[in-house]
Amino acid sequence: MSFKRALIATCLSLLPVAATAEQVGSVDVDWLGNDILIEAFADPEVAGVTCHVAYFDRGVIDRLQKGNWFEDPSNASVSCRQTGPITIGDIERDDEGERVFSERRSIVLKSLRVTRIFDEANQTLIYIAHANELQNGSAKMSISTVPLFDPTAAGQN
């Protein structure tokens, strides 16, 4: 396990996390040890939906060159799909949604989050990957939607 992964695991063990992810892929992008990691997680409140998040993981050589040991870029991408019968649990239904996944991108101040918003009028679940920072928030984001074709999936009979 890399230094960064061990540090993240330690920090995450101290914080409540909405969903846990499993690494399902890793793509080498250069000779410096930088990778794109792909993780999968099931929505903890919506059975039948699985999301995949891809993000940049800086290698040790890149960290030495840039002098910033404890931070990764905010860039991330998310894609969510129906992977079984959808059953919606007790989810937030307001326009701010709720966090379903979080992973630290620096030792203290920055995290990658996936937030779910339920667009009830259009019967669609919206998932947005974004950075959360103490200040100077990032405009980098990615969005994915899961349509609910079966009206009973949204609790409407």
Side-chain angles (χ1 to χ4, degrees):
M1 178 181 286
S2 73
F3 170 77
K4 180 202 160 253
R5 301 292 290 174
L7 185 61
I8 287 173
T10 301
C11 289
L12 286 176
S13 69
L14 302 174
L15 301 169
V17 177
T20 57
E22 174 186 351
Q23 184 174 325
V24 296
S26 176
V27 178
D28 295 334
V29 295
D30 60 25
W31 63 274
L32 297 175
N34 295 319
D35 296 326
I36 296 172
L37 299 181
I38 301 100
E39 294 182 340
F41 68 91
D43 186 321
E45 294 293 332
V46 181
V49 174
T50 302
C51 296
H52 293 87
V53 178
Y55 60 90
F56 193 77
D57 182 44
R58 292 176 49 224
V60 173
I61 295 172
D62 189 48
R63 291 176 190 280
L64 286 171
Q65 286 181 337
K66 297 207 169 69
N68 185 345
W69 277 89
F70 303 109
E71 187 171 87
D72 280 315
S74 301
N75 307 40
S77 181
V78 65
S79 183
C80 302
R81 297 292 181 265
Q82 180 176 356
T83 54
I86 293 179
T87 305
I88 296 179
D90 184 22
I91 65 172
E92 292 292 327
R93 293 178 181 254
D94 63 14
D95 63 348
E96 291 190 20
E98 73 183 296
R99 182 181 348 158
V100 294
F101 176 78
S102 182
E103 184 165 286
R104 290 270 169 218
R105 302 305 291 149
S106 73
I107 195 162
V108 176
L109 303 175
K110 182 172 36 171
S111 63
L112 163 66
R113 290 185 178 174
V114 175
T115 300
R116 177 198 340 96
I117 297 171
F118 181 34
D119 177 358
E120 199 158 0
N122 294 300
Q123 290 298 289
T124 303
L125 296 169
I126 302 165
Y127 295 85
I128 183 167
H130 58 95
N132 187 63
E133 300 182 40
L134 187 60
Q135 63 181 14
N136 301 324
S138 174
K140 299 170 186 170
M141 70 197 88
S142 176
I143 190 169
S144 183
T145 61
V146 177
L148 302 172
F149 295 116
D150 179 4
T152 59
Q156 301 173 4
N157 292 324

